Amino acid sequence: MNAIKTIGLEYTYADGTNALSGINFEAKESEKVAILGPNGSGKTTLFYHFNGLVEPARGEVLVFGQKISKTNIDEVRKRVGLVFQESDNQLFSPTVFEDIAFGPKNLGLGANEIKNKVSQVLHRFDIENLARKNPSNLSCGQKKKVAIAGVLAMEPDVLILDEPTSGMDASGITDTIDILDELNDEGKTIIISTHDSDLAASWADRVYILNKGKVFKSGIPRHIFADEKLVREAGLRQPVIVQTYREFRARGISKGEIPLSVLDLMESVDAKVMNIRCAIAASDVLAGDDVCLGIKDGMLVADKGSKGVTGKVVFAGKKGEDIAVKEVTGDLQQLAGRITIVRVPGIIEGGSRAVDMEKVREILSKNKHQKIGAMGTSAKVLVNKMGIRCDFEFDVIQSGMLAALRGFDVCIFASGGMAGRVIENVKERKLKYECFVL
Ligand SMILES: Nc1ncnc2c1ncn2[C@@H]1O[C@H](COP(=O)(O)OP(=O)(O)OP(=O)(O)O)[C@@H](O)[C@H]1O
Ligand SMILES: [Mg+2]
């Protein structure tokens, strides 16, 4: 089922600017869609159509299969929440609390229910400390969070966010993307516009490129970003990973499909190239010595021996020096660490309050984890509450897997349905794992 669909959408502003021409757009239910496009390409204008803020000059907009009309516009606005590009256009109440409460109030909810909803989103965004502040006194990134929180409080099925991460610092971006992923796991459709090709490549299920009011191209990120000429012609920047891959490929180091993550990039490296490794000598070695490879403190170490992963020293080196090892045989993945996934109940399942902390302590004491990560609101709240220090909060699945591949044992606390996503990824890369459900 399509959450949003437009057919032949056209729009011209009063001054005669032709902002959209013949837009055919689709976002399926529970899909994550990113719209890229240079300034003035029509992203904001298109978003205004998704919840009936403006009426198309020609063509139609369907929300869950229903054409937007005067009779269903209230229902559409309830189901499709739009977060404006400029937060100042959205925030107008004297306090953050009242601003977020505005939507639920309009839905006719009772005072207690409103209070609960507001506290829940304040908690989700970790902005409880801003509740009594005047929105106009907030920083740009804080305003953005409050604006998103306000729309979320109405619990829409589709969340449309016009450049949600612009003006945010790195941790603000991480938190926001994490929340969007969590909401998507809860079944919501998420549509964002962005100028960040890296974000679109790594986050979206599907990408649309707009240019001069038209759909320049749409498709899955791997197809879109594989076409260098197209991305350039659309006035976009290539994701850094893709640029790196192209340089590797041109030098005969990488091959295969274009990567969208650091993990993919590593897998693109040709096996023949990987046959030669740089390692740290664990003892004095001579050229031609047989060595076995191991991992210490996340680095490849070569010691004399012929068991496990083995190779031959290319040139002599003293203990502690960097050396090269050729003819590496054996699967380096057997040196990877173990991943423990701890599923924390999601917000809608009671969150961290529903957790037996004794059980968590037991899991942590039984398994010696060298690296810990938390993803999703309830998992982050739990680790904070228990004073557990996290090594990664950004891109937790990938960071965890990369750490495991460097030999570290890893523990990932994941909220609700996100745990399933971690397991899927870990299985796909054939890493050792176990899972605990709290
Ligand atoms: N209220 C308006 N009146 C007249 N023209 C407008 C109006 N709003 C937008 N436009 C024009 O419509 C076109 C599309 O603008 P829009 O804001 O949708 O682009 P955008 O892709 O969101 O750009 P940005 O990346 O800068 O946010 C532009 O040419 C813009 O100048
Ligand atoms: Mg815009």
Side-chain angles (χ1 to χ4, degrees):
M1 167 77 129
N2 284 315
I4 305 274
K5 182 178 168 114
T6 74
I7 306 164
L9 197 64
E10 312 248 334
Y11 191 78
T12 305
Y13 281 102
D15 67 355
T17 308
N18 187 219
L20 300 177
S21 36
I23 301 265
N24 295 318
F25 171 93
E26 273 180 21
K28 297 194 177 67
E29 213 173 334
S30 301
E31 202 174 28
K32 297 194 286 188
V33 179
I35 302 189
L36 285 163
N39 294 133
S41 55
K43 303 179 294 294
T44 298
T45 310
L46 179 62
F47 280 8
Y48 287 163
H49 284 82
F50 289 162
N51 74 344
L53 215 58
V54 296
E55 258 183 72
R58 204 166 302 137
E60 28 186 76
V61 184
L62 306 168
V63 174
F64 293 100
Q66 299 282 315
K67 189 176 166 186
I68 300 181
S69 66
K70 283 197 176 60
T71 51
N72 66 8
I73 188 78
D74 289 344
E75 181 62 22
V76 164
R77 299 244 165 95
K78 227 186 268 174
R79 294 194 81 178
V80 183
L82 171 64
V83 181
F84 288 98
Q85 182 167 3
E86 306 293 337
S87 310
D88 288 331
N89 291 345
Q90 194 150 347
L91 308 173
F92 46 81
S93 303
T95 68
V96 166
F97 188 97
E98 286 168 85
D99 217 299
I100 298 176
F102 181 80
K105 232 182 234 171
N106 266 357
L107 293 180
L109 303 181
N112 264 344
E113 215 175 332
I114 293 174
K115 212 170 144 212
N116 282 343
K117 282 227 153 62
V118 178
S119 333
Q120 208 185 66
V121 290
L122 286 171
H123 177 65
R124 220 195 248 267
F125 280 86
D126 195 19
I127 49 171
E128 280 124 326
N129 56 331
L130 303 181
R132 299 273 145 235
K133 284 197 76 150
N134 185 325
S136 59
N137 295 334
L138 298 178
S139 77
C140 172
Q142 289 171 332
K143 279 182 187 171
K144 209 116 229 184
K145 276 193 181 177
V146 173
I148 303 174
V151 171
L152 205 56
M154 301 205 281
E155 298 182 353
D157 297 320
V158 185
L159 217 74
I160 317 277
L161 306 105
D162 202 352
E163 301 194 25
T165 56
S166 70
M168 281 189 184
D169 64 14
S171 81
I173 295 175
T174 307
D175 290 349
T176 305
I177 293 302
D178 214 8
I179 291 165
L180 296 185
D181 280 342
E182 194 172 15
L183 292 166
N184 180 250
D185 270 322
E186 290 167 18
K188 294 192 194 303
T189 308
I190 318 273
I191 305 172
I192 68 166
S193 73
T194 179
H195 290 285
D196 186 343
S197 306
D198 287 276
L199 173 64
S202 61
W203 176 82
D205 298 323
R206 216 139 50 89
V207 172
Y208 276 81
I209 300 178
L210 288 198
N211 201 321
K212 299 191 179 112
K214 291 196 171 81
V215 175
F216 193 74
K217 184 91 186 173
S218 69
I220 59 169
R222 210 178 284 283
H223 289 165
I224 296 279
F225 293 108
D227 193 339
E228 194 177 5
K229 189 161 157 263
L230 173 128
V231 173
R232 199 178 43 243
E233 280 172 7
L236 301 175
R237 226 191 49 170
Q238 287 285 353
V240 174
I241 288 285
V242 176
Q243 287 178 42
T244 311
Y245 167 79
R246 290 221 166 89
E247 294 303 319
F248 275 13
R249 186 172 178 146
R251 287 162 180 73
I253 297 167
S254 285
K255 63 177 184 183
E257 274 194 312
I258 65 144
L260 297 175
S261 68
V262 179
L263 263 170
D264 287 351
L265 178 67
M266 285 174 50
E267 282 184 358
S268 76
V269 176
D270 193 301
K272 286 196 212 78
V273 176
M274 296 296 258
N275 229 349
I276 300 179
R277 295 287 177 132
C278 294
I280 298 164
S283 52
D284 296 357
V285 289
L286 296 171
D289 276 357
D290 287 323
V291 284
C292 60
L293 294 172
I295 296 181
K296 193 161 176 265
D297 299 330
M299 296 298 288
L300 212 54
V301 173
D303 207 348
K304 282 184 188 140
S306 53
K307 285 213 181 80
V309 183
T310 58
K312 268 191 186 343
V313 175
V314 180
F315 50 80
K318 292 217 172 321
K319 181 178 174 184
E321 284 180 352
D322 284 332
I323 57 162
V325 178
K326 63 179 178 179
E327 294 165 32
V328 173
T329 53
D331 183 6
L332 276 164
Q333 189 141 338
Q334 62 182 265
L335 306 176
R338 188 177 186 76
I339 298 189
T340 303
I341 300 145
V342 182
R343 186 191 190 281
V344 183
I347 290 247
I348 46 177
E349 299 159 335
S352 64
R353 278 180 226 117
V355 168
D356 173 5
M357 292 201 211
E358 212 33 61
K359 190 167 172 191
V360 179
R361 284 191 200 101
E362 209 177 294
I363 295 168
L364 289 176
S365 69
K366 270 200 196 138
N367 302 272
K368 208 178 108 292
H369 301 107
Q370 294 141 318
K371 299 277 177 198
I372 296 179
M375 57 191 291
T377 309
S378 55
K380 282 184 182 166
V381 171
L382 179 71
V383 294
N384 273 338
K385 207 155 65 176
M386 295 186 64
I388 300 167
R389 193 186 51 80
C390 277
D391 298 281
F392 12 82
E393 305 212 359
F394 177 68
D395 209 355
V396 174
I397 301 182
Q398 182 179 220
S399 307
M401 291 198 291
L402 285 168
L405 286 168
R406 290 177 65 181
F408 294 106
D409 281 332
V410 174
C411 180
I412 298 177
F413 288 86
S415 309
M418 292 177 135
R421 202 139 52 79
V422 184
I423 294 173
E424 254 170 53
N425 276 275
V426 166
K427 265 189 184 162
E428 198 183 314
R429 309 276 170 174
K430 300 193 174 59
L431 288 163
K432 290 167 279 188
Y433 78 96
E434 64 185 325
C435 183
F436 295 92
V437 178
L438 297 180

